[in-house]
Amino acid sequence: MSGTRVWCDGCYDMVHFGHANSLRQAKAMGDYLVVGVHTDEEITCHKGPPVFSEEERYRMVRAIKWVDEVVEAAPYVTTLETLDRHKSEFCVHGDDITMTADGTDTYHIVKSAGRYKECQRTQGVSTTNLVGRMLLLSMDHMQRGDQEYQVDKDRSSDMSSDSTTHSPWTGVSQFLPTTQKILQFSNKEGPKKNDKIVYVAGAFDLFHVGHLDFLEKVREQGDYLIVGLHTDPVVNRYKGYNYPIMNIHERTLSVLAYRCVDEVVIGAPYSVTAEMMDHFKVSLVVHGMTPIAPDVDGQDPYAEPKKRGQFMQIESGNTLTTEMLVQRILARRMEYQERNRKKEQKEMAAYEAFIKSKDEKQDED
């Protein structure tokens, strides 16, 4: 492979659009992106138990549109040997600090060797933050009514039992959705003239390997896949509780990050109408094997595609659901609260040391 090979590594737990955005930026710095993913054992040792298994994380990262190659069981501390073995010129990471269990910067070796570049961390999303939303079981993150276009400003420290730590990297959540961000994630080309266009709609909340398996099977039914995302109030109507965990803006970027998805309809109507099918030139509408809740008027949301003979249900072959994912976390609530607390304390100590060294340097100057 000619051109510049770039290395990224990480846990990529509960793979979200923040991870995808860092990979997008890393790919833009070179021609070929190699991503190392850590094992469950390594992550448990340094951070606490991951939510997704290593097999799920390998699968999810491979499917992100900017990733060319995945290296399984990558070492937690990035070494020059790792970069050389995978013919990567340099390593890219976000502008936050990642540390081992004993507080060592995991990138200190490649930084010293001048083979490290930084990309901008996506504000307002982290695995810690998402885990916390599930532990809180609140509905504050949703975009609805007067708050529909406001940004989420919760602190992830509210999600641990210790509210004294406020890490500048994990602690403040403020995801600012912009048209530029959506454009960066979007595919630049529309459907070709004779493409068979397939449409599927849903919540796709906390995008996981079950969603991925399903969408890849749906994509096989045609040439161009459009995913309709329901608004937060609509999802809450048929899911209940504090769903969706991720708001409409966050779910849009999460879905767009995967190469099997060509286009997203943001805030798609719950019922698939004739106008919508004609506008997008949809040949086939697909739903999974989960029960179909009627629309607010009691009507079948798929009545129109069924009438046209353009509706089918597909088995994903994966039983994982968002609800099951949340249960994984709630079942280990205390472990995850402790994980969040320790992570924030460690980051806070590192941040204070960083500020202190910067102040000392200024005094010397």
Side-chain angles (χ1 to χ4, degrees):
M1 166 75 206
S2 59
T4 304
R5 287 169 67 97
V6 180
W7 172 272
C8 277
D9 56 30
C11 304
Y12 303 103
D13 192 20
M14 291 187 62
V15 193
H16 51 68
F17 64 89
H19 294 131
N21 193 37
S22 70
L23 296 173
R24 177 191 66 77
Q25 291 176 77
K27 177 65 178 278
M29 294 182 196
D31 306 293
Y32 189 87
L33 181 61
V34 185
V35 183
V37 182
H38 310 317
T39 62
D40 294 347
E41 188 180 359
E42 281 261 62
I43 297 168
T44 303
C45 171
H46 295 286
K47 290 176 80 168
V51 179
F52 282 7
S53 73
E54 57 199 52
E55 292 304 326
E56 289 172 330
R57 291 181 291 108
Y58 299 152
R59 168 99 172 83
M60 295 284 286
V61 174
R62 273 195 182 94
I64 290 173
K65 63 171 80 166
W66 300 286
V67 175
D68 296 298
E69 184 182 328
V70 164
V71 173
E72 299 181 4
Y76 204 78
V77 174
T78 311
T79 64
L80 299 178
E81 288 77 18
T82 300
L83 295 190
D84 292 341
R85 189 182 311 125
H86 299 287
K87 299 178 176 61
S88 301
E89 290 189 26
F90 54 87
C91 166
V92 177
H93 185 68
D95 51 3
D96 56 336
I97 290 182
T98 307
M99 287 164 289
T100 60
D102 63 5
T104 307
D105 179 354
T106 55
Y107 296 102
H108 72 281
I109 298 169
V110 289
K111 282 179 180 177
S112 300
R115 292 176 69 180
Y116 175 86
K117 292 188 180 184
E118 234 164 45
C119 63
Q120 209 174 4
R121 185 181 177 279
T122 308
Q123 289 298 316
V125 65
S126 67
T127 302
T128 311
N129 176 287
L130 295 174
V131 168
R133 291 187 200 179
M134 287 178 264
L135 293 177
L136 282 171
L137 290 175
S138 76
M139 299 165 79
D140 298 341
H141 55 278
M142 286 187 206
Q143 312 286 284
R144 53 188 185 162
D146 295 342
Q147 279 76 48
E148 191 155 4
Y149 297 102
Q150 285 186 12
V151 294
D152 178 8
K153 295 183 183 175
D154 289 339
R155 289 184 173 276
S156 70
S157 52
D158 297 343
M159 305 153 193
S160 76
S161 52
D162 178 6
S163 60
T164 60
T165 52
H166 292 302
S167 160
W169 297 300
T170 312
V172 181
S173 171
Q174 188 173 21
F175 169 56
L176 299 167
T178 62
T179 52
Q180 181 64 28
K181 185 67 67 204
I182 292 171
L183 280 171
Q184 288 169 342
F185 272 59
S186 299
N187 293 346
K188 303 296 183 280
E189 293 177 14
K192 296 181 182 68
K193 191 179 178 185
N194 296 316
D195 277 356
K196 181 182 179 183
I197 298 171
V198 183
Y199 178 79
V200 64
F204 297 100
D205 190 19
L206 291 174
F207 198 90
H208 54 71
V209 74
H211 293 136
L212 179 60
D213 284 348
F214 173 61
L215 289 182
E216 285 185 346
K217 283 196 165 60
V218 174
R219 181 68 168 74
E220 288 169 5
Q221 302 302 315
D223 308 297
Y224 193 89
L225 175 60
I226 301 176
V227 177
L229 289 176
H230 299 142
T231 63
D232 296 349
V234 168
V235 174
N236 187 248
R237 180 179 68 80
Y238 64 80
K239 290 271 191 184
Y241 302 105
N242 65 324
Y243 293 106
I245 303 293
M246 295 179 93
N247 67 49
I248 183 75
H249 309 300
E250 297 170 316
R251 290 184 285 121
T252 297
L253 294 184
S254 295
V255 172
L256 273 175
Y258 289 89
R259 64 172 64 88
C260 61
V261 177
D262 296 293
E263 182 63 288
V264 168
V265 179
I266 306 167
Y270 188 67
S271 287
V272 181
T273 62
E275 291 81 8
M276 187 178 173
M277 289 186 72
D278 293 343
H279 176 78
F280 290 110
K281 298 181 171 60
V282 174
S283 302
L284 181 67
V285 176
V286 177
H287 185 79
M289 302 310 287
T290 53
I292 300 168
D295 207 339
V296 281
D297 59 3
Q299 298 298 307
D300 177 357
Y302 295 110
E304 180 61 30
K306 283 177 180 176
K307 189 175 81 178
R308 297 184 181 200
Q310 294 177 324
F311 175 80
M312 74 182 293
Q313 285 187 271
I314 287 180
E315 177 64 69
S316 74
N318 191 315
T319 56
L320 183 65
T321 64
T322 301
E323 291 78 6
M324 286 164 65
L325 195 57
V326 171
Q327 284 309 312
R328 277 189 200 181
I329 288 166
L330 295 180
R332 302 173 74 175
R333 184 184 182 110
M334 298 308 290
E335 281 182 76
Y336 286 116
Q337 282 182 331
E338 183 64 9
R339 184 182 91 160
N340 284 11
R341 187 184 68 79
K342 280 183 177 173
K343 185 171 188 285
E344 289 235 356
Q345 278 187 333
K346 205 161 67 169
E347 285 183 354
M348 200 61 211
Y351 183 69
E352 283 166 1
F354 168 69
I355 293 298
K356 190 179 174 187
S357 67
K358 205 162 76 168
D359 291 342
E360 286 171 355
K361 200 175 176 187
Q362 283 176 343
D363 291 342
E364 286 170 14
D365 296 341

